[in-house]
């Protein structure tokens, strides 16, 4: 069964450092997403990406965050200067169809980021 | 008012019981509705989409009431393996908003 894969599974970093989280979405999917979940809290939308550009982003997704699809398979989330409050599980997701058309989100297993 | 609101629970029910979860959403322009399931420290997984006419998948029944902006999930004949957090999810365009989830614990 095709799946979304994410690396690393866990990253520990110092405050102020740059972090890149990587995702390989399901190959025939067109829509890509990043979500985060702070421990014990709800899953929060960060950004959606379609046709090589950001289509929607939340207020959490400020100038410290960026996304890229550098080649035909990878989808990355970069945090330029990490803060303590960036510590969370970051989930990548992809879908074949637009959510409004009932497209199911397929999530990766997540990358746990710990900022010290 | 929260965008998507759920009772966090936990709901502790015996095996075989029927349990119902409710969810309300604030944006009347919302277009898509789902229930996802999340096991502890795992990724969310789609349980079922929710359609205006209501829909059933085995022991699971989902209902949508657009007028009241209300979604429900009914689980019949609960199994131990149903223990998880159930996430109400509402979408408009490509933005999908998750509720905080309702925790279910099915007890032997």
């Amino acid at each position: 069964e095709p799946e979304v894969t994410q690396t690393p599974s866990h990253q520990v970093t110092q405050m102020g450092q740059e972090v890149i989280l990587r995702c390989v979405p399901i190959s025939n999917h067109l829509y890509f997403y990043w979500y985060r979940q702070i421990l014990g809290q709800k899953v929060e939308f960060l950004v959606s990406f379609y046709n090589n550009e950001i289509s929607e982003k939340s207020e959490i997704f400020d100038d410290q965050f960026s996304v890229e699809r550098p080649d035909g398979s990878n989808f990355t989330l970069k945090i330029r200067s990490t803060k303590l409050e960036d510590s969370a599980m970051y989930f990548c997701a992809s879908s074949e169809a637009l959510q409004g058309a009932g497209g199911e989100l397929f999530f990766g297993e997540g990358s746990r980021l710990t900022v010290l | 008012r929260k965008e998507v609101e759920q009772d966090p629970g936990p709901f502790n029910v015996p095996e075989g019981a029927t349990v119902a979860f409710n969810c309300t959403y604030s944006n009347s322009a919302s277009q898509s509705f789902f229930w996802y399931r999340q096991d502890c420290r795992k990724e969310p997984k789609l349980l079922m989409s929710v359609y205006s006419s209501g829909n059933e998948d085995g022991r699971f029944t989902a209902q949508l009431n657009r007028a009241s902006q209300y979604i429900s999930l009914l689980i019949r004949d609960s199994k131990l393996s149903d223990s998880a957090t159930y996430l109400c999810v509402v979408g408009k365009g490509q933005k999908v908003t998750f509720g905080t989830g309702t925790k279910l614990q099915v007890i032997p």
Side-chain angles (χ1 to χ4, degrees):
Chain A
E1 185 180 316
E3 57 181 18
V4 176
T5 56
Q6 290 186 240
T7 54
S9 55
H10 189 191
Q11 181 154 355
V12 181
T13 190
Q14 295 290 326
M15 196 168 57
Q17 295 297 303
E18 177 182 283
V19 158
I20 297 176
L21 305 179
R22 291 183 169 80
C23 170
V24 179
I26 294 172
S27 60
N28 64 331
H29 285 187
L30 302 175
Y31 301 87
F32 314 113
Y33 310 83
W34 282 100
Y35 288 82
R36 80 170 185 193
Q37 188 174 31
I38 295 169
L39 188 64
Q41 297 187 26
K42 69 174 186 174
V43 176
E44 297 176 292
F45 170 78
L46 292 178
V47 66
S48 61
F49 193 87
Y50 171 70
N51 201 25
N52 284 317
E53 59 183 25
I54 291 173
S55 43
E56 297 229 28
K57 60 181 181 178
S58 72
E59 55 276 5
I60 301 169
F61 194 88
D62 61 20
D63 292 344
Q64 293 299 310
F65 291 88
S66 62
V67 289
E68 208 175 34
R69 190 158 159 81
D71 52 44
S73 58
N74 290 285
F75 178 52
T76 62
L77 174 70
K78 183 193 289 186
I79 309 174
R80 285 193 188 83
S81 178
T82 50
K83 302 188 279 285
L84 294 176
E85 55 264 36
D86 293 328
S87 295
M89 181 73 91
Y90 288 80
F91 290 109
C92 174
S94 68
S95 65
E96 191 173 9
L98 188 63
Q99 285 299 294
E104 174 184 352
L105 286 173
F106 289 82
F107 284 84
E109 293 187 338
S111 293
R112 178 164 295 285
L113 176 64
T114 302
V115 182
L116 302 176
Chain B
R1 185 180 175 184
K2 288 182 184 176
E3 286 187 82
V4 180
E5 195 151 6
Q6 296 181 251
D7 180 345
F11 284 57
N12 298 313
V13 303
E15 261 186 298
T18 295
V19 62
F21 304 136
N22 302 318
C23 167
T24 56
Y25 60 95
S26 61
N27 187 348
S28 59
S30 298
Q31 300 165 314
S32 55
F33 309 91
F34 309 90
W35 284 100
Y36 276 72
R37 169 193 169 130
Q38 186 174 29
D39 292 294
C40 190
R41 295 182 179 270
K42 297 284 192 180
E43 74 275 21
K45 291 186 177 176
L46 180 69
L47 179 66
M48 59 197 302
S49 301
V50 187
Y51 303 115
S52 297
S53 53
N55 48 300
E56 188 173 308
D57 183 2
R59 298 181 293 109
F60 300 86
T61 301
Q63 298 276 351
L64 168 64
N65 183 324
R66 283 188 184 266
S68 303
Q69 295 177 206
Y70 169 96
I71 306 161
S72 66
L73 176 69
L74 185 78
I75 305 175
R76 289 182 298 278
D77 188 23
S78 299
K79 313 287 185 197
L80 294 176
S81 56
D82 293 334
S83 298
T85 297
Y86 290 82
L87 307 175
C88 177
V89 180
V90 175
K92 182 178 183 302
Q94 288 186 50
K95 184 179 175 186
V96 168
T97 303
F98 284 72
T100 51
T102 299
K103 188 169 182 180
L104 172 66
Q105 185 69 47
V106 181
I107 303 160

